[in-house]
Amino acid sequence: MYGVVVMACSQCVCKLLTMVSVAYQPFPMVGRARGQVWRYAPQYRRPRHFHAELEVNLVTAGTGTVGVGELIFGVLPGDLLSWPPGVDHELLEASADFELYVMGATPEFSARVLGSAEGRAYGGPVQLRLNAAQVAELRQRCAVPPGEGGGTVAAETAIGDLWHDLQASRAADGAANSITRRVVCSLKAKPDLGRDRLARLVRTHPSELSRHFHRGVGLTLAAYRTRVRLARFIETVDRGGDLLSSALSAGFGSYSQCHRSFWSVLGCAPSRFFDRQTRREMEEAFVTLDESFR
């Protein structure tokens, strides 16, 4: 397990004036892979988006600015960043020498790799600082194609080992992180849970729950719960469910509530989103960094 220094987000974060529109873009996996490592390339920078997969980013060179929910903060070499499922994120600015490795794993694969420690993948602060030796070791492992020459099994084993070590490095104590972790895990299992019920489950006051969660992930509890429900709704429809039953099983009180939330977050109706062409355009959208930042 790696030692870490927890960055005090209150010292480096400012609020966005307004929330921007987001896209639903599943983490890009090659073929039937359950985990993947990518090296950031400017031409493939994704717009503000969220997905159902866990994601971890490692900054190894240069500087950048990241938007997460309602927060904006700067990143430096050695920063290990984590995006829980449903939290929107975007690289807003980057220096010309910016180097970033992006890692993701499906919930099922992450659960198998982490076992009883799965919950730690959902907790911990968004931004951690690793020391130079830790960064060099992780960079080497990220830069070498996992399982090179060893086939699919070797690749998945290498990804699993890396994922395990990254999550171990993020393990951190603290009441706020514990609350965030328990909330995310609870909503993952039952997205229909309301704030009061969640507060009872995590044994804290509803207002304290909301405050800790908002500060920890940059989204209000209500906004995050909506993202979790939308991701579940999309997943259920993709498996062949109809719109109404999928909305109800995702935790929405009615299809009209689901429809309103869909419009509010993704900017289109569910029927349009599930049109093959519209879906492909959203998932494959890329944006260009302003040249003044490079």
Side-chain angles (χ1 to χ4, degrees):
M1 180 182 298
Y2 299 104
V4 299
V5 176
V6 180
M7 300 297 291
C9 290
S10 61
Q11 297 176 357
C12 58
V13 174
C14 60
K15 292 282 186 179
L16 284 169
L17 294 179
T18 58
M19 287 297 292
V20 296
S21 60
V22 300
Y24 180 80
Q25 294 188 324
F27 191 90
M29 304 286 187
V30 174
R32 304 178 71 176
R34 295 184 291 177
Q36 195 72 42
V37 180
W38 299 95
R39 186 174 184 273
Y40 161 75
Q43 65 270 33
Y44 298 123
R45 190 178 75 91
R46 307 179 97 187
R48 179 69 65 114
H49 67 283
F50 73 99
H51 41 68
E53 297 83 10
L54 296 158
E55 181 178 332
V56 175
N57 295 177
L58 176 67
V59 181
T60 53
T63 61
T65 302
V66 173
V68 184
E70 299 173 0
L71 306 177
I72 296 176
F73 55 89
V75 295
L76 299 170
D79 278 346
L80 187 63
L81 313 170
S82 175
W83 319 134
V87 175
D88 61 89
H89 49 280
E90 179 185 12
L91 177 64
L92 301 173
E93 302 174 5
S95 61
D97 60 342
F98 191 65
E99 184 177 71
L100 172 77
Y101 289 92
V102 181
M103 290 144 278
T106 65
E108 296 77 17
F109 183 63
S110 181
R112 184 174 72 81
V113 168
L114 299 179
S116 61
E118 180 194 5
R120 72 186 178 198
Y122 302 105
V126 166
Q127 183 181 29
L128 300 176
R129 175 66 53 78
L130 306 180
N131 65 41
Q134 294 163 353
V135 174
E137 192 271 337
L138 285 172
R139 182 187 182 282
Q140 183 178 31
R141 292 171 66 184
C142 291
V144 176
E148 186 173 23
T152 302
V153 174
E156 186 160 288
T157 298
I159 287 287
D161 289 343
L162 178 59
W163 188 252
H164 179 276
D165 291 345
L166 285 167
Q167 297 303 339
S169 73
R170 294 186 53 248
D173 295 328
N177 297 327
S178 176
I179 288 173
T180 299
R181 179 174 65 252
R182 285 182 285 166
V183 168
V184 173
C185 289
S186 296
L187 285 176
K188 177 174 176 284
K190 289 183 63 63
D192 60 332
L193 290 172
R195 188 183 71 158
D196 290 348
R197 176 59 176 154
L198 280 168
R200 288 194 293 272
L201 286 174
V202 303
R203 299 174 183 173
T204 190
H205 190 275
S207 62
E208 188 75 358
L209 169 68
S210 297
R211 183 175 66 83
H212 276 301
F213 191 85
H214 195 184
R215 186 175 62 186
V217 302
L219 283 175
T220 65
L221 178 61
Y224 180 75
R225 186 174 55 211
T226 295
R227 305 291 178 78
V228 172
R229 291 174 176 177
L230 288 175
R232 178 75 63 86
F233 170 70
I234 292 169
E235 180 184 28
T236 305
V237 174
D238 284 345
R239 290 201 304 261
D242 63 83
L243 296 180
L244 174 58
S245 62
S246 297
L248 297 178
S249 67
F252 290 105
S254 64
Y255 178 69
S256 61
Q257 182 190 26
C258 175
H259 191 281
R260 289 194 301 271
S261 297
F262 213 97
W263 258 108
S264 176
V265 175
L266 296 174
C268 66
S271 57
R272 179 169 177 78
F273 173 85
F274 288 108
D275 173 79
R276 184 174 300 178
Q277 182 63 29
T278 302
R279 179 78 171 273
R280 184 184 302 113
E281 289 175 356
M282 180 178 292
E283 292 186 359
E284 297 179 354
F286 299 104
V287 293
T288 303
L289 282 170
D290 189 310
E291 289 299 318
S292 65
F293 297 134
R294 304 204 51 82

